């Protein structure tokens, strides 16, 4: 009986793995993105030439890039938040629902914080306001934001994450988290950025973020 149980368990596990690899993983790695967006080269791709995890997600936002850019610039733990599931990725604090002028001075070399003390995260590798921004560490991780204007004064907001898994025990948990959790956080983030960019007006006058 035990032998039969093991065979069934192995069979079910193999079937689940095959289903994930064949159907679920391609969906989650390309959620919302058009085939040409998935295949095109983006700034930051050279940071991680041979990624284990290569995800391109996208969403259409009924706003020009200039209205979306400030939300991306102020992102980060201890800053504007991640606009995702705040209880999981922003220490339970609500992500910003307004543009914060004092957080609009992000530049190349600055850190987009991912730790509670605000000191550790992804360095800003490149910026072309309000078109593209790349966060990342060469050979390890890159996170690219691409803003492409489309008809109707709208924008295709494209997010590309490239990550090289580490199979050592200390890094394995992080790799598993990226593989299975990134899609749900990213979908929520894109939806919430869209909602904010489409509905929250930029502040007029002195408090308004700079025009790029």
């Amino acid at each position: 009986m035990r032998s039969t149980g093991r065979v069934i368990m192995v069979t079910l596990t193999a079937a689940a793995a095959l289903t994930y690899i064949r159907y679920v993983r391609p969906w989650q790695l390309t959620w919302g993105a058009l085939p040409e967006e998935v295949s095109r080269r983006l700034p930051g791709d050279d940071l991680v030439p041979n990624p284990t995890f290569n995800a391109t997600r996208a969403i259409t936002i009924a706003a020009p890039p200039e209205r979306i850019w400030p939300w991306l610039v102020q992102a980060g733990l201890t800053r504007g938040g991640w606009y995702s599931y705040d209880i999981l990725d922003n220490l339970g604090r609500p992500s910003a629902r307004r543009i914060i002028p004092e957080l609009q001075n992000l530049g190349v070399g600055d850190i987009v914080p991912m730790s509670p003390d605000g000191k550790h995260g992804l360095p800003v590798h490149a910026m072309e306001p309000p078109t593209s921004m790349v966060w990342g560490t060469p050979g390890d991780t890159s996170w690219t934001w691409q803003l492409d204007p489309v008809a109707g004064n709208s924008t295709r907001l494209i997010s590309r994450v490239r990550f090289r898994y580490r199979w050592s025990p200390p890094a394995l948990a992080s790799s598993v988290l990226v593989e299975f959790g990134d899609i749900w956080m990213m979908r929520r983030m894109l939806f919430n950025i869209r909602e904010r960019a489409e509905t929250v007006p930029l502040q007029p006058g002195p408090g308004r973020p700079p025009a790029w």
Side-chain angles (χ1 to χ4, degrees), residues 101-145:
E102 57 268 31
L103 297 181
Q104 294 298 308
N105 296 318
L106 190 71
V108 173
D110 290 341
I111 298 295
V112 179
M114 294 183 171
S115 65
D117 62 6
K119 297 179 180 179
H120 304 283
L122 290 175
V124 179
H125 179 76
M127 295 179 75
E128 291 291 339
T131 302
S132 69
M133 179 161 50
V134 181
W135 309 331
T137 304
D140 183 74
T141 306
S142 66
W143 189 349
T144 297
W145 293 100

Side-chain angles (χ1 to χ4, degrees), residues 17 21 26 30 44 53 67 124 135 174 177 204:
I21 292 170
T30 60
F53 181 88
R67 289 183 61 88
V124 179
W135 309 331
S174 175
L177 184 62

Side-chain angles (χ1 to χ4, degrees), residues 3 20 28 61-63 87 91 97 100 106 115 118-119 126 133 149:
S3 178
Y20 177 77
Q28 70 104 334
I61 300 177
I87 192 67
L91 303 178
R97 295 202 61 87
I100 305 171
L106 190 71
S115 65
K119 297 179 180 179
M133 179 161 50

Side-chain angles (χ1 to χ4, degrees), residues 66-68 70-71 99 197 199-205 207-210 212:
E66 292 80 5
R67 289 183 61 88
I68 303 166
W71 297 102
I99 301 301
T199 61
V200 179
L202 294 181
Q203 291 177 294
R208 182 172 180 172
W212 293 276

Side-chain angles (χ1 to χ4, degrees), residues 19 29 31 37 44 83-84 93 97 116 129 137 142 154 166 182 198 209:
T19 299
L29 291 179
W31 179 88
E37 292 170 337
Y83 317 115
S84 186
R93 303 176 207 158
R97 295 202 61 87
T137 304
S142 66
S154 295
R166 301 286 186 255
D182 183 74
E198 291 181 349

Side-chain angles (χ1 to χ4, degrees), residues 11 55-58 88 92 109 130 135 138-139 141 152 158-159 169 183 186 203 209:
T11 302
T56 303
R57 287 73 169 251
L88 298 176
W135 309 331
T141 306
I158 304 170
S159 167
I183 176 58
M186 183 60 68
Q203 291 177 294

